[in-house]
Amino acid sequence: MGTTGTQPRLKNLELAAVGGSDVHVKMLAAPVNPSDINMIQGNYGLLPKLPAVGGNEGVGQVVAVGSSVTRVKPGDWVIPANAGLGTWQTEAVFSEEALISVPSDIPLQSAATLGVNPCTAYRMLMDFEQLRPGDSVIQNASNSGVGQAVIQIAAALGLRTINVVRDRPDIQKLTDRLKNLGAHHVVTEEELRKHEMKNFFKDVPQPQLALNCVGGKSSTELLRHLAPGGTMVTYGGMAKQPVIASVSLLIFKDLKLRGFWLSQWKKDHSPDQFKELILTLCDLIHQGQLTAPACSEVPLQDYQRALEASMQPFVSSKQILTM
Amino acid sequence: MGTTGTQPRLKNLELAAVGGSDVHVKMLAAPVNPSDINMIQGNYGLLPKLPAVGGNEGVGQVVAVGSSVTRVKPGDWVIPANAGLGTWQTEAVFSEEALISVPSDIPLQSAATLGVNPCTAYRMLMDFEQLRPGDSVIQNASNSGVGQAVIQIAAALGLRTINVVRDRPDIQKLTDRLKNLGAHHVVTEEELRKHEMKNFFKDVPQPQLALNCVGGKSSTELLRHLAPGGTMVTYGGMAKQPVIASVSLLIFKDLKLRGFWLSQWKKDHSPDQFKELILTLCDLIHQGQLTAPACSEVPLQDYQRALEASMQPFVSSKQILTM
């Protein structure tokens, strides 16, 4: 599927010849992530030259390889090494360096959603604060793809998560589902603002790390509950409002505000380090500690339905295009 | 001068006996800092038990020492080791650990204003970003006590300062005065918001470090001009508004927001490290690279006038109580 301007449409493209360092890939499945939508709308830190093929994540199977390709072979599963590959297409020819192979014995939905959200979740849990088993982490947008990965990876690391979600009619169902994933606590944005939260933190250690995908008031509340010296990492801005931080918390509680962008992390690290990260996450998948978020599979030709569904408020399942 | 509640008043206090580890000090001069006012108003991270003597900074001369005192002797000049000492008094008995000696060959006004603002300026320039000669630093409230110290210390380190000030009738006079101190660039808050600043940064390297004493819009503007990966350190909130940070700058420019509080720095470091900092600053004073901010000396009995003057908008000189 090609995107021109803000109106994506399906288009037949000529398949390029497979050069010496190229890999012919048949795409299997590719999710619709919030950052894909941001990119189409032009609100992203990395924008492709138009026209471009949408989709930054997904899994494909190698059909054929050029003569100098050494790291993948026909039959292998591959995912994009970087954002901007254009995964919403049935097949394509990519250069070898644009791909990373993944084990093909993990679930298809896990492979299709492995390269962005779980990587973001893992790095944010590891790279900002030195957390030890029993420490707690607070996050908002806990039902997002990253949020669900944070819950599961944190649980695997022995960390206690405090998961903030927006109130909704079926809140108990959502709470149960997140607790099933390993969430220790699920609180609504409204509950987080109440005085009663003081009692909550009598029993639960104040979090040293907050993960913010919302901004605005929600991020101000996360900061209010951070332990002295703690860090809030912002990786999204769903509320389309800036982060608002109390001056006195910055000065007297020594709070730190940072941002995380996986594309920047990849620029700052080697492909081998990214591959290592992917394999660490595959280990968690093999051990049953990391599952794909709830997904709705939609055939590529129904992309319009998938895009619309992904932009609805309170979406509880990720749209995955299948080819 | 004792303070009870928010109404400071002069009061005669009985002088305590000089115990073995005590030092009898005659105060010479003590400034009125914004943080003193915040403390009286109850808006500070450290609040003394009331009634309390106001004033966190100043210089005194040792009159007599207890039998076990080794680090100071009669005639020495001393400054408080920590906030909360209560310097707005004619004389007092302090414990030896509450004091740090300073050379008595520096100007009285420099000694009286050495322990807070220049220390804050120096640590903020050294501890957050690794700056090299030629790098630039942006700050707001550049005419404050810390701001003037930042200008001078940065110049001594070979750093280029971009100094943001509020527009005012005598702006040229202020600009000249700050440039005389070593300021490379002086811009008003209004100028900083204009598109023309893009051209400014064609000739001047984007700052890796921003020092924020204001909050609100002013801090948002500092962030906008920071170099990718740069840090904004907040040490005050004169606008009484929170820091507002764009989500996309946090994520895509990897900006870092931190806070600095000298009292916390002292808790995290040994008295010897603080003493070393003081001596480093005294070296700069001896070399003529660091002078006291413009001061108005006011006798202690006229404290009410000094407090009022210190709370006026656009104060260009620091009130110093003399005993």
Side-chain angles (χ1 to χ4, degrees):
Chain A
M1 175 179 16
T3 68
T4 54
T6 58
Q7 288 305 319
R9 59 193 172 85
L10 267 186
K11 195 174 170 185
N12 287 316
L13 298 173
E14 187 100 4
L15 202 62
V18 180
S21 60
D22 289 339
V23 181
H24 176 188
V25 176
K26 180 190 175 323
M27 291 303 298
L28 301 173
V32 179
N33 286 322
S35 56
D36 299 325
I37 304 290
N38 294 343
M39 198 181 259
I40 292 171
Q41 293 172 335
N43 301 319
Y44 200 65
L46 184 152
L47 295 173
K49 233 178 90 179
L50 296 179
V53 180
N56 292 292
E57 198 184 21
V59 61
Q61 187 160 35
V62 174
V63 175
V65 300
S67 55
S68 66
V69 168
T70 57
R71 278 177 293 157
V72 295
K73 58 181 191 307
D76 282 358
W77 279 13
V78 288
I79 65 171
N82 288 298
L85 190 68
T87 54
W88 297 346
Q89 48 190 336
T90 52
E91 49 189 316
V93 172
F94 301 118
S95 74
E96 183 182 10
E97 311 90 73
L99 303 168
I100 298 258
S101 65
V102 295
S104 58
D105 62 353
I106 60 173
L108 183 73
Q109 292 184 352
S110 289
T113 58
L114 182 60
V116 178
N117 291 341
C119 293
T120 298
Y122 188 85
R123 294 268 55 106
M124 293 195 298
L125 287 170
M126 298 304 284
D127 295 349
F128 293 89
E129 289 285 336
Q130 286 214 308
L131 301 172
R132 282 172 301 190
D135 285 350
S136 63
V137 173
I138 191 167
Q139 66 168 342
N140 56 23
S142 308
N143 190 35
S144 68
V146 172
Q148 292 184 43
V150 164
I151 290 170
Q152 296 178 83
I153 296 168
L157 296 169
L159 303 171
R160 192 195 279 245
T161 52
I162 303 157
N163 299 281
V164 185
V165 295
R166 289 170 298 174
D167 201 5
R168 60 193 76 196
D170 58 347
I171 183 73
Q172 190 56 48
K173 209 172 122 193
L174 173 61
T175 300
D176 293 345
R177 194 161 54 74
L178 297 184
K179 288 202 169 177
N180 246 341
L181 288 178
H184 289 74
H185 310 279
V186 179
V187 296
T188 64
E189 295 276 3
E190 292 71 22
E191 285 167 345
L192 193 66
R193 278 185 224 128
K194 287 189 181 156
H195 274 293
E196 287 81 338
M197 283 305 288
K198 280 208 170 167
N199 294 326
F200 178 85
F201 285 109
K202 283 183 185 158
D203 303 321
V204 177
Q206 275 200 302
Q208 200 67 33
L209 180 68
L211 305 177
N212 167 42
C213 186
V214 178
K217 273 184 196 172
S218 177
S219 55
T220 308
E221 285 299 309
L222 293 189
L223 286 170
R224 205 159 64 81
H225 293 295
L226 264 185
T231 299
M232 180 170 83
V233 182
T234 292
Y235 68 97
M238 279 170 42
K240 302 200 184 301
Q241 285 167 7
V243 168
I244 301 163
S246 139
V247 163
S248 67
L249 290 182
L250 280 166
I251 301 176
F252 301 129
K253 270 183 77 181
D254 190 25
L255 299 190
K256 304 173 183 76
L257 273 67
R258 302 286 303 271
F260 182 79
W261 188 29
L262 187 64
S263 293
Q264 188 61 48
W265 185 89
K266 287 185 193 171
K267 271 188 215 164
D268 297 339
H269 293 78
S270 69
D272 282 349
Q273 286 173 305
F274 181 50
K275 175 88 190 197
E276 193 187 317
L277 170 57
I278 291 291
L279 292 180
T280 302
L281 295 168
C282 287
D283 279 349
L284 293 178
I285 294 170
H286 283 135
Q287 288 158 28
Q289 293 181 301
L290 179 62
T291 58
C295 291
S296 302
E297 296 193 359
V298 177
L300 180 62
Q301 59 267 29
D302 297 337
Y303 70 93
Q304 200 64 51
R305 178 155 62 85
L307 291 184
E308 277 163 20
S310 75
M311 290 187 281
Q312 293 305 308
F314 302 120
V315 266
S316 269
S317 74
K318 186 174 282 293
Q319 304 297 306
I320 297 227
L321 299 169
T322 53
M323 287 78 180
Chain B
M1 176 182 10
T3 67
T4 54
T6 56
Q7 289 305 320
R9 57 193 175 85
L10 267 187
K11 196 175 168 182
N12 286 315
L13 298 173
E14 186 100 4
L15 201 64
V18 180
S21 61
D22 289 339
V23 180
H24 176 190
V25 176
K26 181 189 175 325
M27 291 305 299
L28 301 173
V32 179
N33 286 321
S35 56
D36 299 325
I37 304 291
N38 294 344
M39 198 181 260
I40 292 172
Q41 293 172 335
N43 299 320
Y44 201 66
L46 184 151
L47 294 173
K49 233 178 91 181
L50 296 179
V53 179
N56 292 291
E57 199 184 20
V59 62
Q61 187 161 33
V62 175
V63 176
V65 301
S67 55
S68 66
V69 168
T70 57
R71 278 176 292 156
V72 295
K73 58 182 190 306
D76 283 359
W77 280 12
V78 288
I79 65 171
N82 289 298
L85 190 68
T87 54
W88 296 345
Q89 48 189 335
T90 51
E91 49 189 315
V93 172
F94 300 119
S95 74
E96 183 181 10
E97 310 91 73
L99 303 169
I100 299 257
S101 65
V102 295
S104 57
D105 63 352
I106 61 174
L108 183 73
Q109 291 184 353
S110 290
T113 58
L114 182 60
V116 178
N117 291 340
C119 294
T120 298
Y122 188 85
R123 293 267 57 105
M124 292 196 300
L125 287 170
M126 299 303 284
D127 296 349
F128 293 89
E129 288 285 337
Q130 286 214 308
L131 302 173
R132 282 172 302 190
D135 285 351
S136 63
V137 173
I138 192 167
Q139 66 167 342
N140 56 23
S142 307
N143 189 35
S144 68
V146 172
Q148 293 184 42
V150 163
I151 290 171
Q152 297 178 83
I153 296 168
L157 295 168
L159 302 172
R160 193 195 277 247
T161 52
I162 302 157
N163 299 281
V164 185
V165 295
R166 289 170 298 174
D167 201 5
R168 61 193 76 194
D170 58 348
I171 183 73
Q172 191 56 48
K173 208 172 121 194
L174 173 61
T175 300
D176 293 344
R177 194 159 54 75
L178 297 184
K179 288 201 168 176
N180 247 342
L181 287 178
H184 289 73
H185 310 281
V186 179
V187 296
T188 64
E189 295 275 1
E190 292 70 22
E191 285 166 346
L192 193 67
R193 278 185 222 127
K194 287 188 182 157
H195 274 295
E196 287 82 338
M197 283 303 289
K198 279 207 170 169
N199 294 327
F200 178 86
F201 285 110
K202 282 181 185 158
D203 303 320
V204 177
Q206 276 199 302
Q208 200 67 34
L209 180 68
L211 305 177
N212 167 41
C213 187
V214 179
K217 275 184 194 171
S218 177
S219 55
T220 307
E221 285 299 308
L222 293 190
L223 285 170
R224 206 159 65 80
H225 294 294
L226 264 186
T231 299
M232 181 171 83
V233 182
T234 292
Y235 68 97
M238 279 170 43
K240 301 200 184 302
Q241 286 167 7
V243 169
I244 301 164
S246 138
V247 163
S248 67
L249 289 182
L250 280 166
I251 300 176
F252 301 130
K253 270 183 77 181
D254 191 23
L255 299 190
K256 304 173 183 76
L257 274 67
R258 302 284 305 272
F260 182 79
W261 188 28
L262 187 63
S263 294
Q264 187 62 49
W265 185 89
K266 288 186 193 169
K267 270 188 216 165
D268 298 340
H269 293 78
S270 69
D272 281 350
Q273 287 172 305
F274 181 50
K275 175 88 190 198
E276 193 187 316
L277 170 57
I278 291 291
L279 292 179
T280 302
L281 295 168
C282 286
D283 279 349
L284 292 178
I285 294 170
H286 283 136
Q287 289 158 28
Q289 294 181 302
L290 180 62
T291 57
C295 291
S296 303
E297 297 194 358
V298 177
L300 179 63
Q301 59 267 31
D302 297 337
Y303 71 91
Q304 199 65 48
R305 179 156 62 85
L307 291 185
E308 277 163 19
S310 75
M311 289 187 282
Q312 294 305 309
F314 302 120
V315 266
S316 269
S317 74
K318 186 174 283 292
Q319 305 296 307
I320 297 227
L321 299 169
T322 53
M323 287 78 179

